[in-house]
Amino acid sequence: VATSDLPDLFRRAFRRQAASVTVVSYVDAGGRPSGMTATAVCSVSVAPPTLLVCVNRAAQAWSHLVATGRLGVNILALPQHEIANHCSRPGEDKTLRAAWLLAPAEGRRTPVLKGALAHLDCEIVRAYPESTHTILIGQVTDVWLGAQDAPLIYLDGAYSTLDQGPERSYQAVWDQFTSAYL
Ligand SMILES: Cc1cc2nc3c(=O)[nH]c(=O)nc-3n(C[C@H](O)[C@H](O)[C@H](O)COP(=O)(O)O)c2cc1C
C-alpha cells in the first residue's frame, strides 16, 4: 500500500478493535473534578499495580494531569455513554457533574464516577512522549470496585455493549458442547 494511505487504513483497522471505554478523571486548576474519555488504557503489571494511558498533549486534560501528577481511570458501564460523550466534546468544558460522582473518600485523590465498573486511583510516575501523544505510567494507589454491569464498548465509531455477560456466554458454549457430544 502507498504510505499516504496508511493513516486512513490505520484508523479503519482500529475502528474494528472493540475497546472498553474509560473516563480518565483529574482535578483541574480550579479544583473542579473533570474527565477525558479514553480507550488507550492498558494494564501493565500487577506487582506493583501499574497501568498506562496514552494522552494527546493537545487535549485540555494534559496540562491538568501534568500539574497534579495524578489520574483516575473509570471503567464505564453501558448507561454511562452520556458521560463518555460529555468528556469527549472537543474544546468544551470537561467538568464532571456532582450527580455523576461518588462522595470523595479518604486516600482517594481523583474523581470516582458513580455507576462505573471500577475506578483506579493513580500517581503518574513516568511519561514517554510519542509523536502527538504521551504514554503516562500510573502507579495504582487505590482501587474501587462498582457493580459488575454490562460494559460500555466503543466499536466502529459507536457505543455498544457485549450481548451477554461472560458467565452466560460460557454457559452457552458449554450447553452447545454437551448437547452435541454428551
Ligand atoms: C471513544 C473515545 C476514545 C478516546 N480515547 C482517547 C485516548 O485514549 N487518548 C486521548 O488522548 N484522547 C482520546 N479520545 C479523545 C478525547 O476524549 C478528546 O480528544 C478530548 O476529550 C477532546 O477534548 P479537548 O480537545 O477539549 O481536550 C477519545 C475519544 C473518544 C470519543
Side-chain angles (χ1 to χ4, degrees):
V1 291
T3 359
S4 58
D5 293 340
L6 275 176
D8 182 49
L9 286 168
F10 176 89
R11 270 193 218 98
R12 287 166 62 190
F14 272 100
R15 282 172 72 94
R16 298 180 179 189
Q17 186 189 34
S20 162
V21 180
T22 77
V23 162
V24 169
S25 62
Y26 54 93
V27 178
D28 78 3
R32 285 176 294 267
S34 309
M36 183 194 82
T37 304
T39 48
V41 173
C42 182
S43 79
V44 173
S45 72
V46 177
T50 306
L51 55 77
L52 68 79
V53 181
C54 303
V55 180
N56 191 330
R57 288 188 303 281
Q60 296 183 56
W62 171 251
S63 60
H64 303 296
L65 293 172
V66 171
T68 58
R70 301 206 63 97
L71 64 83
V73 171
N74 294 269
I75 303 175
L76 298 194
L78 179 61
Q80 295 178 303
H81 55 88
E82 184 199 350
I83 307 178
N85 279 333
H86 176 86
C87 295
S88 61
R89 298 162 309 151
E92 299 291 322
D93 180 56
K94 304 295 194 299
T95 309
L96 297 169
R97 296 187 194 137
W100 293 341
L101 296 171
L102 215 64
E106 201 183 327
R108 208 185 284 147
R109 314 260 296 267
T110 56
V112 181
L113 289 169
K114 207 188 284 180
L117 305 181
H119 170 271
L120 301 107
D121 201 33
C122 304
E123 181 190 349
I124 299 167
V125 292
R126 248 173 295 282
Y128 301 99
E130 187 60 54
S131 59
T132 53
H133 284 57
T134 289
I135 303 163
L136 294 177
I137 305 293
Q139 199 118 95
V140 179
T141 49
D142 195 18
V143 176
W144 172 84
L145 291 179
Q148 215 173 354
D149 287 331
L152 182 62
I153 300 294
Y154 195 65
L155 177 64
D156 199 18
Y159 293 116
S160 65
T161 193
L162 301 174
D163 288 341
Q164 298 174 312
E167 288 92 339
R168 284 166 63 202
S169 308
Y170 297 143
Q171 189 62 51
V173 170
W174 177 249
D175 288 347
Q176 248 171 31
F177 174 75
T178 52
S179 65
Y181 299 105
L182 302 179

